[in-house]
Amino acid sequence: MNKYYNLKHTIKLLSIFALILTSSCGSRKDIVYFQDEPLNSESKLDNRFELTYKTNDILTIDVSSIEPAAVMPFNLAPVSYGDNSGSLNAGGSLLRQTYLVDPNGNIEFPVLGTLNVGGLTRTQTTEMLKNQLREYVTDAIVNIRLINFTVTVLGEVHRPGTYTIQDERISLSEALGLAGDLTIYGKRDNVFLIREVAGKKKYAKLDLRSINVVNSPVYYLSQNDVIYVEPNNARVKTSTYNPNTGLLISAVGTLATIFAIFVVR
């Protein structure tokens, strides 16, 4: 009788041990991003559909005219790459030179010198350049493009990552579409957006369950915006699952069987 009691007691202890091994201390605090920002301090962001240029933006600026020779001094010459000799590479490709907006919002433009474009829209920058070029070229056509417009989508989406946007305008819905939409574990009522405005980080909370989200001031995204989809409680709970659970239970069962055989003998 004592023998069987000891066996039962030992199996119970082994089961408890297996339960401890297969458990995890995962919680919402361990899994969810950006938890320390109080939602009652949500930033006031304006509904601006046209982007403005900011520090570290990379621009291409092309100036054209019916007289190409007249605007040649105002265009950066393309450079070759892939060959230290300075000649064209095997494919004959050239790399277009770009303008980097410095911390003061300035770019260095041929002939015209330092131009401040920080905080200006593409329309405003185009008009500024046309006005300054008018002294040299009366019919200048200016084409400006931002080539490092990116948005980052994180959290419970199928393809999280950073995406480069070609047309300089993208909505929240389109960005989530690029990331493969939310997974079934994403919280539809708590999509978090982070944006830098005048050197300061601001944020907003969006509820995708409401059609009114399309009227949100941040529905159209700005360059370098970060979107985070919070995982729901079901996802947080599954984070506590140990993939070795089956193996551990099997090992404990085997040990219990071996122990029982020897005790019975």
Side-chain angles (χ1 to χ4, degrees), residues 62-68 71 74-75 133 137 139-143:
D62 294 318
V63 182
S64 58
S65 168
I66 58 174
E67 298 182 21
V71 296
F74 304 101
N75 288 300
L133 288 168
V137 185
D139 64 341
I141 299 172
V142 178
N143 184 24

Side-chain angles (χ1 to χ4, degrees), residues 75-88:
N75 288 300
L76 295 175
V79 295
S80 62
Y81 64 97
D83 189 338
N84 293 330
S85 68
S87 60
L88 292 176

Side-chain angles (χ1 to χ4, degrees), residues 122-138:
R122 179 164 55 179
T123 300
Q124 292 169 334
T125 306
T126 299
E127 286 303 312
M128 177 184 69
L129 280 168
K130 283 184 176 181
N131 290 334
Q132 297 205 28
L133 288 168
R134 198 163 285 123
E135 180 181 346
Y136 307 93
V137 185
T138 56

